[in-house]
Amino acid sequence: MSMKDAMAKAYEKAGKKLPVSHKKRNKKRRPSKVRDHKRPVEVKQEWSKDSKPVVRRQRISEEGLDSRAPKAPPQPAKPATYEVDIAPDAAATFSANDNRSSHCLLVESTENLSGMLGIMNAAAPEEELFLGFDLGTSSLKAVVGDRNRRVHYAVPFRDAVGIDQYLLPTRLYQTSGIYTLEGVSQPDYQNLKLDLMEDPTNNQARQRLVAFIALSLRQISAWFQKAHGNTYGKSNLLWSLNVGVPAAESGRLSDVMELLGWAGWIAAASEAPIDDELIGKAMERAEKLMNGAVDPDPSEDVEVGTIPEIAAQIYGYVRSDAFDPNAQNLFILADVGAGTVDCAMFKVRPAKHSEEFLFYEKSVEPLGVTSLHIHRLKWWHEVFAELEHSPDALVGAIEAELKQIDATRPIPDKFSKYFYGVTVKSSPKGPLGLHNPDAEFDQRLRAQIQDGTLEKGRQSGGWHVEALKDTPFLLSGGGSRNKYYERIKEGLRHHPSLGYLRLNPKPLVLPSNIKAPGLARQDWDRLSVAYGLSFGSVGKATFVPAVNT
């Protein structure tokens, strides 16, 4: 008996009739048709005095929009306008007049490389040493490595404390034709590395860099003789000079830097002052030695090589206890220098005798600290130029700073801290608040690291997105000390749309075999490239060709 018959029988016994429902029986819902038009907002017009209109809305995806409907022309973005308040006592927080460092060289004058050459006697015991030469945009860092003793010595250049003693400003002076590392000359030469990277065939850029290498080698030789002459002075020393080059420029600059390193060594070994004539002869001699046309003299018996800076920098991490050889060991590393940010995506493949670095993507962009400083200064200059009454003193400070940027001097961590007594507000704020120089620069830097390196590396290497989640990210270099770049590091933990582009920041670990008195642990990464270069080899660097995905 069905439920309906049982209920009818029960009602019949009670002398009642089974009530009949007038509602229509529900039918199974059929799938709705795909609509190719946007349903308009519907408003019910039947409403009472005490009720409100009922609005029914429907979400429309981009695919559901009618492509035949005429689209409204895009509206041009509204130009930003700025409200600027300038106090009567407003002043710049920077000054182009304090460019000169107060720290002096440890050695006032040097003659040649005698302190590094040892006894130079064939009958004496031989010792092999490696000089890691990290030639940065703003400063040189150098570390001497002894493979037999398993010790590495950081080279101090100046009478300073902490990390400053190990930084030699990449600056050159010329007086009466003679090049020096200290002095007064107009102009002095600061962009030695950037000028060469811009045009490696520029002979003037080459000569100036050779002069700087020669003078710095003489400084290293004098320090080495004084600090370690008792240990190595009775041995025949065999040197290898390892010069770092940006990963993205390694193919273009390797041969050039090898030539300039060798020419710098030859010029430094001479007892003559460093001038253009000596440099010209040293470069000619270096070309003959590289081509095998002549045999080296005892003072020229050096091996010069180039190593990608990022491979050298990670080498200390690979050799530390923090490195897990069984992990995936895929890394993103960004080296923030004065002028550029050198970024690469690579995998470390451990081996029994040496490591292999597989580079999937690499890039160098002008997004370093000096570039950020110039970007901000130009932005402020434009803002002041739009004012009805231009603040001549503030504009003059900007123009003086732009004429001679000091790459060794720290800059404010925010654009708003460039002036005392000046506040600025933009209207409208625009997408992501991009009407200020820091936000614009932030977008470019994140694009280099996340999109231009990690995303392009994923495509060229054929990586699955799941393998890239929380990829270790190493931020290093002198520029990383600025709080602006620290904030960038934390911001890379997130991505607005793509989860696999989120990075996991990791610190570089200070190794136990580096001798650097006075060096703070948090400043170790400033010497990490030179430390890696002070090994005989950091392994094989392989640039992986893109795969078809």
Side-chain angles (χ1 to χ4, degrees):
M1 181 182 293
S2 66
M3 179 65 73
K4 184 176 181 180
D5 293 340
M7 291 181 65
K9 191 172 181 180
Y11 270 87
E12 187 178 352
K13 283 185 178 182
K16 297 180 180 181
K17 290 185 178 181
L18 179 67
V20 179
S21 174
H22 296 286
K23 291 184 178 180
K24 292 183 179 180
R25 188 175 181 181
N26 289 335
K27 298 180 180 179
K28 290 184 177 180
R29 296 185 62 185
R30 291 178 295 175
S32 60
K33 295 181 179 179
V34 177
R35 299 181 184 273
D36 61 352
H37 65 278
K38 183 176 180 180
R39 176 180 291 178
V41 174
E42 298 177 3
V43 181
K44 286 187 176 180
Q45 298 300 329
E46 301 84 8
W47 57 287
S48 63
K49 183 178 179 180
D50 299 326
S51 66
K52 295 180 179 180
V54 178
V55 181
R56 287 202 299 259
R57 301 181 184 274
Q58 180 181 358
R59 290 187 178 182
I60 305 297
S61 64
E62 291 295 330
E63 292 80 2
L65 296 176
D66 188 354
S67 59
R68 296 167 296 180
K71 296 182 179 179
Q75 297 296 324
K78 293 182 180 180
T81 58
Y82 299 95
E83 298 178 8
V84 184
D85 293 327
I86 303 177
D89 59 345
T93 60
F94 52 85
S95 173
N97 298 323
D98 62 351
N99 285 343
R100 202 169 311 282
S101 171
S102 60
H103 304 304
C104 300
L105 294 172
L106 288 177
V107 182
E108 293 184 2
S109 61
T110 55
E111 296 180 354
N112 52 30
L113 290 184
S114 58
M116 292 177 64
L117 298 179
I119 198 170
M120 296 182 66
N121 187 341
E126 293 184 347
E127 294 202 54
E128 190 175 14
L129 298 174
F130 301 89
L131 176 58
F133 205 81
D134 178 17
L135 182 61
T137 304
S138 64
S139 62
L140 167 72
K141 287 78 65 179
V143 174
V144 175
D146 185 335
R147 185 165 53 188
N148 292 331
R149 292 179 173 84
R150 297 183 180 181
V151 64
H152 300 258
Y153 309 101
V155 179
F157 291 101
R158 302 188 294 171
D159 61 344
V161 296
I163 185 62
D164 287 339
Q165 64 185 305
Y166 300 107
L167 307 178
L168 177 65
T170 311
R171 178 181 293 168
L172 200 59
Y173 300 89
Q174 188 177 25
T175 304
S176 301
I178 306 299
Y179 290 105
T180 59
L181 296 176
E182 285 185 325
V184 178
S185 67
Q186 291 294 333
D188 54 7
Y189 310 118
Q190 295 190 50
N191 299 322
L192 303 178
K193 183 178 180 180
L194 292 179
D195 289 344
L196 183 74
M197 290 177 60
E198 183 177 345
D199 182 9
T201 64
N202 186 318
N203 189 59
Q204 188 178 63
R206 290 187 176 198
Q207 286 189 320
R208 289 174 181 170
L209 202 55
V210 169
F212 179 80
I213 293 172
L215 290 169
S216 59
L217 285 173
R218 289 183 174 182
Q219 290 286 321
I220 295 170
S221 176
W223 163 82
F224 187 79
Q225 171 67 27
K226 182 178 180 180
H228 303 288
N230 292 336
T231 304
Y232 299 98
K234 297 181 180 180
S235 300
N236 186 23
L237 301 181
L238 305 177
W239 285 92
S240 293
L241 175 63
N242 292 332
V243 183
V245 293
E249 302 287 342
S250 55
R252 189 173 67 135
L253 284 181
S254 290
D255 292 341
V256 174
M257 289 305 301
E258 183 178 346
L259 170 66
L260 302 188
W262 214 331
W265 184 280
I266 294 170
S270 170
E271 295 184 359
I274 305 297
D275 57 14
D276 289 328
E277 182 181 359
L278 177 65
I279 293 170
K281 293 179 179 179
M283 292 181 69
E284 292 179 3
R285 178 71 177 175
E287 288 183 354
K288 293 179 180 179
L289 290 171
M290 289 182 64
N291 296 330
V294 294
D295 295 326
D297 294 335
S299 63
E300 301 169 338
D301 191 10
V302 60
E303 290 188 4
V304 181
T306 59
I307 296 174
E309 292 167 348
I310 284 183
Q313 191 160 52
I314 197 67
Y315 192 75
Y317 180 83
V318 171
R319 289 298 183 184
S320 71
D321 295 336
F323 181 75
D324 181 5
N326 298 317
Q328 178 173 262
N329 290 321
L330 184 71
F331 297 93
I332 297 288
L333 191 148
D335 184 16
V336 182
T340 62
V341 173
D342 190 9
C343 190
M345 172 183 174
F346 59 95
K347 178 180 176 62
V348 180
R349 183 181 293 171
K352 185 175 182 181
H353 299 291
S354 64
E355 284 69 27
E356 182 178 13
F357 296 85
L358 303 176
F359 285 86
Y360 295 98
E361 190 58 45
K362 53 196 181 299
S363 66
V364 173
E365 296 291 343
L367 300 175
V369 179
T370 301
S371 300
L372 173 62
H373 186 43
I374 294 173
H375 177 69
R376 288 168 169 175
L377 291 170
K378 290 182 176 179
W379 181 87
W380 274 111
H381 195 277
E382 293 177 1
V383 170
F384 289 151
E386 296 296 325
L387 299 180
E388 184 177 355
H389 301 288
S390 176
D392 295 338
L394 304 185
V395 172
I398 293 175
E399 292 174 349
E401 180 77 3
L402 286 171
K403 287 181 180 178
Q404 188 171 6
I405 298 291
D406 183 6
T408 64
R409 188 158 45 83
I411 67 172
D413 63 310
K414 292 182 179 179
F415 79 98
S416 57
K417 296 181 179 179
Y418 269 52
F419 298 93
Y420 294 116
V422 178
T423 58
V424 60
K425 296 179 181 179
S426 64
S427 178
K429 289 186 176 180
L432 303 179
L434 291 184
H435 290 316
N436 74 70
D438 286 9
E440 296 169 5
F441 210 81
D442 173 271
Q443 196 175 49
R444 291 164 56 192
L445 185 57
R446 288 175 64 112
Q448 180 195 3
I449 297 172
Q450 289 180 308
D451 303 320
T453 303
L454 182 55
E455 172 61 14
K456 288 181 68 175
R458 179 189 71 83
Q459 296 176 4
S460 62
W463 286 88
H464 192 276
V465 294
E466 291 297 324
L468 299 182
K469 288 184 177 180
D470 293 326
T471 299
F473 173 66
L474 303 168
L475 182 68
S476 63
S480 65
R481 297 298 177 282
N482 191 287
K483 290 183 179 179
Y484 169 84
Y485 292 92
E486 281 288 332
R487 291 192 292 269
I488 289 290
K489 180 174 69 174
E490 293 304 313
L492 292 172
R493 292 180 182 270
H494 311 282
H495 192 278
S497 58
L498 301 177
Y500 67 88
L501 291 183
R502 299 170 186 168
L503 299 174
N504 184 19
K506 296 282 187 181
L508 288 170
V509 180
L510 175 67
S512 59
N513 61 352
I514 178 76
K515 304 298 182 183
L519 178 68
R521 188 172 294 271
Q522 64 268 21
D523 291 328
W524 154 241
D525 66 296
R526 300 293 301 274
L527 296 179
S528 58
V529 173
Y531 171 76
L533 294 171
S534 67
F535 285 84
S537 172
V538 301
K540 180 182 179 182
T542 303
F543 297 92
V544 180
V547 300
N548 295 324
T549 58

